[in-house]
Amino acid sequence: MSKEKMMVISQKESFIVRVLINKVSATGAECNFVTWTVNEISSGLEGVSLIVLYMDDGDRPGEDILHFLTDTLEEKSLEMIIVGEHPDIQYVCDHVPGEMIYMTFTRPVDNNKFVGAVTEYFAKADSGAFKKSILIVDDDPQYLTIIREWLKGTYKVSMANSGLQAIKWLGKNKVDLILLDHEMPVTSGPQVLEMLRSDSETRSIPVMFLTGKGDKDSVMEVVSLRPEGYFLKNIQKEELLEKLQEFFILHK
């Protein structure tokens, strides 16, 4: 397992900030401090699993920084811990979506509770709890395995080798996106999509088709079913990852 990394963002590296960093470092995690400028935050993001925003003496980051942090958290599927006085915490909460805020601490900070929250977050991140979940549905086991290998580092990936197996799996599990083979025997992709949209429990799940046919008529047939999108099966790994990232950013 790679070493967990925490970034602390504040206006200055105060004594209390150094204490919190040292406490977390003692657990074996890597910690670094940056001031709240876009350049410093950007330069320190590599490998970061958790962002902590520390506000002291009424100091607050500007709305431009909070907007940048929001985009960063969304892009990297991270969450943030906020430390500050009640008005400062509320200010940040008014500008950052609640689902991106893992926990808040009012000053003075209970060091043990703070370290406990950080280690709990790292454990959840390591288990994939914060990753978007994708279900791949395809009757070709080799193709299923290839796509899973491509995606598993970024997403929580599940697989089903038939439409009926997918429907059964979705009866007990939730998912953020379904990648659905258009050309499957027995129960085709369009039939599966129809079943999903006729059920109140699954009709809102985004579906993207996987298709091996790239001619105009075949593509028009796929598009006419109004999925959230489609991918040709000859798509390369980097393009697929890029397109999926764009999808999740646009569908917050």
Side-chain angles (χ1 to χ4, degrees), residues 3-4 21-31 115-116 118-119 122:
K3 190 174 185 179
E4 302 291 2
I21 289 175
N22 289 337
K23 291 284 187 181
V24 174
S25 297
T27 69
E30 180 181 346
C31 304
V115 173
V118 171
T119 54
F122 284 153

PDB file of all heavy atoms in Angstrom, residues 3-4 21-31 115-116 118-119 122:
ATOM      1  N   LYS A   3       2.121   5.107   0.738  1.00  0.00           N
ATOM      2  CA  LYS A   3       2.046   5.904   1.950  1.00  0.00           C
ATOM      3  C   LYS A   3       0.972   6.979   1.807  1.00  0.00           C
ATOM      4  O   LYS A   3       0.897   7.668   0.790  1.00  0.00           O
ATOM      5  CB  LYS A   3       3.410   6.552   2.208  1.00  0.00           C
ATOM      6  CG  LYS A   3       3.546   7.217   3.563  1.00  0.00           C
ATOM      7  CD  LYS A   3       4.972   7.682   3.764  1.00  0.00           C
ATOM      8  CE  LYS A   3       5.156   8.249   5.168  1.00  0.00           C
ATOM      9  NZ  LYS A   3       6.553   8.695   5.385  1.00  0.00           N
ATOM     10  N   GLU A   4       0.122   7.131   2.830  1.00  0.00           N
ATOM     11  CA  GLU A   4      -0.920   8.143   2.786  1.00  0.00           C
ATOM     12  C   GLU A   4      -0.295   9.531   2.904  1.00  0.00           C
ATOM     13  O   GLU A   4       0.706   9.726   3.593  1.00  0.00           O
ATOM     14  CB  GLU A   4      -1.919   7.917   3.918  1.00  0.00           C
ATOM     15  CG  GLU A   4      -2.583   6.549   3.903  1.00  0.00           C
ATOM     16  CD  GLU A   4      -3.535   6.381   2.732  1.00  0.00           C
ATOM     17  OE1 GLU A   4      -3.643   7.313   1.910  1.00  0.00           O
ATOM     18  OE2 GLU A   4      -4.174   5.329   2.632  1.00  0.00           O
ATOM     19  N   ILE A  21       0.452  18.679  12.156  1.00  0.00           N
ATOM     20  CA  ILE A  21       1.241  17.958  11.158  1.00  0.00           C
ATOM     21  C   ILE A  21       2.121  16.908  11.823  1.00  0.00           C
ATOM     22  O   ILE A  21       2.209  15.759  11.365  1.00  0.00           O
ATOM     23  CB  ILE A  21       2.090  18.936  10.324  1.00  0.00           C
ATOM     24  CG1 ILE A  21       1.184  19.746   9.386  1.00  0.00           C
ATOM     25  CG2 ILE A  21       3.161  18.200   9.523  1.00  0.00           C
ATOM     26  CD1 ILE A  21       1.903  20.817   8.597  1.00  0.00           C
ATOM     27  N   ASN A  22       2.761  17.272  12.918  1.00  0.00           N
ATOM     28  CA  ASN A  22       3.636  16.321  13.623  1.00  0.00           C
ATOM     29  C   ASN A  22       2.845  15.148  14.200  1.00  0.00           C
ATOM     30  O   ASN A  22       3.311  14.002  14.182  1.00  0.00           O
ATOM     31  CB  ASN A  22       4.403  17.035  14.745  1.00  0.00           C
ATOM     32  CG  ASN A  22       5.469  17.977  14.216  1.00  0.00           C
ATOM     33  OD1 ASN A  22       5.945  17.811  13.084  1.00  0.00           O
ATOM     34  ND2 ASN A  22       5.847  18.973  15.008  1.00  0.00           N
ATOM     35  N   LYS A  23       1.654  15.432  14.715  1.00  0.00           N
ATOM     36  CA  LYS A  23       0.812  14.363  15.275  1.00  0.00           C
ATOM     37  C   LYS A  23       0.422  13.360  14.200  1.00  0.00           C
ATOM     38  O   LYS A  23       0.455  12.145  14.418  1.00  0.00           O
ATOM     39  CB  LYS A  23      -0.455  14.963  15.906  1.00  0.00           C
ATOM     40  CG  LYS A  23      -0.224  15.773  17.162  1.00  0.00           C
ATOM     41  CD  LYS A  23       0.039  14.893  18.366  1.00  0.00           C
ATOM     42  CE  LYS A  23       0.106  15.716  19.642  1.00  0.00           C
ATOM     43  NZ  LYS A  23       0.399  14.874  20.830  1.00  0.00           N
ATOM     44  N   VAL A  24       0.035  13.859  13.038  1.00  0.00           N
ATOM     45  CA  VAL A  24      -0.354  12.958  11.943  1.00  0.00           C
ATOM     46  C   VAL A  24       0.867  12.242  11.384  1.00  0.00           C
ATOM     47  O   VAL A  24       0.819  11.046  11.074  1.00  0.00           O
ATOM     48  CB  VAL A  24      -1.088  13.741  10.833  1.00  0.00           C
ATOM     49  CG1 VAL A  24      -1.354  12.837   9.631  1.00  0.00           C
ATOM     50  CG2 VAL A  24      -2.401  14.301  11.368  1.00  0.00           C
ATOM     51  N   SER A  25       2.000  12.946  11.275  1.00  0.00           N
ATOM     52  CA  SER A  25       3.234  12.319  10.785  1.00  0.00           C
ATOM     53  C   SER A  25       3.658  11.157  11.672  1.00  0.00           C
ATOM     54  O   SER A  25       4.217  10.164  11.184  1.00  0.00           O
ATOM     55  CB  SER A  25       4.360  13.358  10.703  1.00  0.00           C
ATOM     56  OG  SER A  25       4.061  14.369   9.776  1.00  0.00           O
ATOM     57  N   ALA A  26       3.376  11.272  12.966  1.00  0.00           N
ATOM     58  CA  ALA A  26       3.750  10.211  13.912  1.00  0.00           C
ATOM     59  C   ALA A  26       2.995   8.910  13.640  1.00  0.00           C
ATOM     60  O   ALA A  26       3.417   7.844  14.082  1.00  0.00           O
ATOM     61  CB  ALA A  26       3.490  10.683  15.345  1.00  0.00           C
ATOM     62  N   THR A  27       1.892   8.983  12.906  1.00  0.00           N
ATOM     63  CA  THR A  27       1.142   7.762  12.563  1.00  0.00           C
ATOM     64  C   THR A  27       1.723   7.063  11.340  1.00  0.00           C
ATOM     65  O   THR A  27       1.262   5.996  10.954  1.00  0.00           O
ATOM     66  CB  THR A  27      -0.345   8.091  12.275  1.00  0.00           C
ATOM     67  OG1 THR A  27      -0.449   8.844  11.058  1.00  0.00           O
ATOM     68  CG2 THR A  27      -0.955   8.884  13.424  1.00  0.00           C
ATOM     69  N   GLY A  28       2.715   7.710  10.705  1.00  0.00           N
ATOM     70  CA  GLY A  28       3.337   7.114   9.517  1.00  0.00           C
ATOM     71  C   GLY A  28       2.907   7.753   8.216  1.00  0.00           C
ATOM     72  O   GLY A  28       3.404   7.392   7.147  1.00  0.00           O
ATOM     73  N   ALA A  29       1.991   8.717   8.293  1.00  0.00           N
ATOM     74  CA  ALA A  29       1.529   9.399   7.076  1.00  0.00           C
ATOM     75  C   ALA A  29       2.502  10.508   6.697  1.00  0.00           C
ATOM     76  O   ALA A  29       3.227  11.037   7.541  1.00  0.00           O
ATOM     77  CB  ALA A  29       0.135   9.979   7.293  1.00  0.00           C
ATOM     78  N   GLU A  30       2.509  10.837   5.424  1.00  0.00           N
ATOM     79  CA  GLU A  30       3.317  11.952   4.934  1.00  0.00           C
ATOM     80  C   GLU A  30       2.476  13.216   4.971  1.00  0.00           C
ATOM     81  O   GLU A  30       1.321  13.208   4.543  1.00  0.00           O
ATOM     82  CB  GLU A  30       3.789  11.675   3.503  1.00  0.00           C
ATOM     83  CG  GLU A  30       4.646  12.772   2.902  1.00  0.00           C
ATOM     84  CD  GLU A  30       5.070  12.482   1.479  1.00  0.00           C
ATOM     85  OE1 GLU A  30       4.917  11.327   1.048  1.00  0.00           O
ATOM     86  OE2 GLU A  30       5.530  13.424   0.793  1.00  0.00           O
ATOM     87  N   CYS A  31       3.018  14.308   5.481  1.00  0.00           N
ATOM     88  CA  CYS A  31       2.268  15.555   5.599  1.00  0.00           C
ATOM     89  C   CYS A  31       3.083  16.710   5.041  1.00  0.00           C
ATOM     90  O   CYS A  31       4.298  16.783   5.268  1.00  0.00           O
ATOM     91  CB  CYS A  31       1.929  15.858   7.060  1.00  0.00           C
ATOM     92  SG  CYS A  31       1.029  14.548   7.913  1.00  0.00           S
ATOM     93  N   VAL A 115      -6.483  13.575  14.851  1.00  0.00           N
ATOM     94  CA  VAL A 115      -5.684  12.469  14.317  1.00  0.00           C
ATOM     95  C   VAL A 115      -6.565  11.251  14.048  1.00  0.00           C
ATOM     96  O   VAL A 115      -6.408  10.556  13.040  1.00  0.00           O
ATOM     97  CB  VAL A 115      -4.535  12.104  15.282  1.00  0.00           C
ATOM     98  CG1 VAL A 115      -3.813  10.838  14.809  1.00  0.00           C
ATOM     99  CG2 VAL A 115      -3.547  13.254  15.399  1.00  0.00           C
ATOM    100  N   GLY A 116      -7.540  11.016  14.932  1.00  0.00           N
ATOM    101  CA  GLY A 116      -8.462   9.902  14.723  1.00  0.00           C
ATOM    102  C   GLY A 116      -9.274  10.069  13.451  1.00  0.00           C
ATOM    103  O   GLY A 116      -9.487   9.113  12.702  1.00  0.00           O
ATOM    104  N   VAL A 118      -8.372  11.794  10.787  1.00  0.00           N
ATOM    105  CA  VAL A 118      -7.474  11.646   9.646  1.00  0.00           C
ATOM    106  C   VAL A 118      -7.194  10.175   9.353  1.00  0.00           C
ATOM    107  O   VAL A 118      -7.273   9.728   8.198  1.00  0.00           O
ATOM    108  CB  VAL A 118      -6.148  12.401   9.889  1.00  0.00           C
ATOM    109  CG1 VAL A 118      -5.125  12.066   8.801  1.00  0.00           C
ATOM    110  CG2 VAL A 118      -6.392  13.905   9.934  1.00  0.00           C
ATOM    111  N   THR A 119      -6.883   9.394  10.388  1.00  0.00           N
ATOM    112  CA  THR A 119      -6.596   7.973  10.173  1.00  0.00           C
ATOM    113  C   THR A 119      -7.840   7.221   9.698  1.00  0.00           C
ATOM    114  O   THR A 119      -7.749   6.311   8.873  1.00  0.00           O
ATOM    115  CB  THR A 119      -6.043   7.324  11.458  1.00  0.00           C
ATOM    116  OG1 THR A 119      -6.949   7.561  12.550  1.00  0.00           O
ATOM    117  CG2 THR A 119      -4.693   7.900  11.824  1.00  0.00           C
ATOM    118  N   PHE A 122      -8.136   8.008   5.991  1.00  0.00           N
ATOM    119  CA  PHE A 122      -7.165   7.245   5.210  1.00  0.00           C
ATOM    120  C   PHE A 122      -7.619   5.794   5.038  1.00  0.00           C
ATOM    121  O   PHE A 122      -7.453   5.201   3.970  1.00  0.00           O
ATOM    122  CB  PHE A 122      -5.790   7.284   5.876  1.00  0.00           C
ATOM    123  CG  PHE A 122      -5.052   8.583   5.698  1.00  0.00           C
ATOM    124  CD1 PHE A 122      -4.115   9.000   6.623  1.00  0.00           C
ATOM    125  CD2 PHE A 122      -5.295   9.384   4.593  1.00  0.00           C
ATOM    126  CE1 PHE A 122      -3.418  10.189   6.458  1.00  0.00           C
ATOM    127  CE2 PHE A 122      -4.609  10.586   4.419  1.00  0.00           C
ATOM    128  CZ  PHE A 122      -3.663  10.989   5.354  1.00  0.00           C
TER     129      PHE A 122
END
